[in-house]
Amino acid sequence: LTSSFYKTINKTIPEGGYCSQTYRQSVDIVVNDELGAEIKVRFVGGTSSAYSAFGYYCYPEGADVRQIRNAKKYVVFPNTKTGVGINGGECVKLHYIDVNGEDQGTVFPKGTKIGWFISNNAFTRKGTTPTGNVGKGGGMFYSTTALNSDKRTHTAAFKVNNFIVLSFEDWDSQDYNDVMFNIWSNPIEAIAPDVPSVDPIDPDDASVAYSMTYKGILAFEDNWPS
């Protein structure tokens, strides 16, 4: 992700600033391709001081609030503290997990909606919330506005060229730049969220998608140095 791209984002939703109402909206996406689609999520960055977990949930188009609330939640990035838990550009391909909690692979069927959540400070065993309370995290915030206890929309969205930026406000400020991520699909046109466009600072910076794939076996030792 290029430096000029980050400058465009920071100009759009500046730290300590005010996120325009133009960008504030629920950012649940829907798969509209007859054959379904694969969905990827890329971490862009964030300014939050919280060690929050980020994840997703699936529900059928037309589901009521009760169904959405009961949808199982799955963590994508356990720690979104920039530079500590994760760096901008890291990406995960999501799996479609049905209403029974069964993994159906990487293709999300047509009509599936995907929502997002932030579990504030959930990575820390005991975190101090912005109100000074000590405990396990500082609450849950969802892209589905009806699920938020304060009934506030906690997400914003815009696109730079064709790069869709979704962003969370993880407490009660107005800058909406606490956790930022990007989504895209294969095929590309399988998701088409209606989000406003932002002009890039560098007009020549038309491509911000690069790929580095790692495959292999990861093994852990839980009794080091044995």
Side-chain angles (χ1 to χ4, degrees):
L1 302 178
T2 65
S3 59
S4 60
F5 174 73
Y6 279 112
K7 288 177 182 177
T8 300
I9 292 180
N10 293 335
K11 181 180 178 181
T12 306
I13 44 176
E15 171 62 9
Y18 181 85
C19 173
S20 169
Q21 294 290 344
T22 302
Y23 308 127
R24 300 188 193 191
Q25 63 182 79
S26 171
V27 292
D28 295 5
I29 64 167
V30 61
V31 176
N32 56 32
D33 193 280
E34 291 291 341
L35 299 179
E38 293 184 323
I39 307 295
K40 293 183 180 180
V41 173
R42 171 168 38 200
F43 183 70
V44 171
T47 63
S48 179
S49 60
Y51 296 79
S52 299
F54 166 82
Y56 73 108
Y57 48 96
C58 306
Y59 61 94
E61 196 171 14
D64 59 30
V65 174
R66 181 189 60 80
Q67 288 176 286
I68 303 172
R69 183 174 288 112
N70 291 336
K72 296 180 185 295
K73 313 299 186 294
Y74 301 95
V75 171
V76 179
F77 301 121
N79 181 7
T80 57
K81 175 69 173 174
T82 303
V84 178
I86 194 170
N87 293 309
E90 296 188 37
C91 174
V92 170
K93 182 189 287 186
L94 302 183
H95 277 227
Y96 170 60
I97 304 175
D98 65 21
V99 293
N100 298 315
E102 303 214 358
D103 189 338
Q104 300 295 337
T106 60
V107 177
F108 289 72
K110 180 182 179 182
T112 302
K113 295 199 74 170
I114 304 173
W116 318 95
F117 70 85
I118 288 289
S119 184
N120 184 286
N121 242 4
F123 189 77
T124 57
R125 295 185 64 186
K126 284 189 176 182
T128 302
T129 70
T131 57
N133 298 320
V134 176
K136 289 187 178 180
M140 295 281 287
F141 301 100
Y142 301 91
S143 60
T144 308
T145 301
L147 298 188
N148 292 323
S149 58
D150 58 4
K151 303 306 177 186
R152 175 184 170 185
T153 298
H154 275 265
T155 45
F158 56 90
K159 59 185 176 182
V160 184
N161 297 316
N162 290 317
F163 191 95
I164 300 170
V165 178
L166 307 181
S167 188
F168 263 94
E169 171 51 55
D170 71 355
W171 205 250
D172 59 1
S173 62
Q174 302 293 326
D175 49 25
Y176 280 72
N177 62 3
D178 295 318
V179 177
M180 299 176 285
F181 58 103
N182 157 247
I183 56 167
W184 79 102
S185 63
N186 179 24
I188 293 174
E189 60 278 358
I191 60 171
D194 184 17
V195 299
S197 295
V198 171
D199 292 331
I201 288 178
D202 182 356
D204 294 327
D205 192 13
S207 176
V208 291
Y210 306 100
S211 177
M212 230 185 283
T213 302
Y214 299 90
K215 292 184 179 180
I217 296 172
L218 183 64
F220 285 91
E221 172 54 58
D222 67 354
N223 194 25
W224 181 262
S226 298

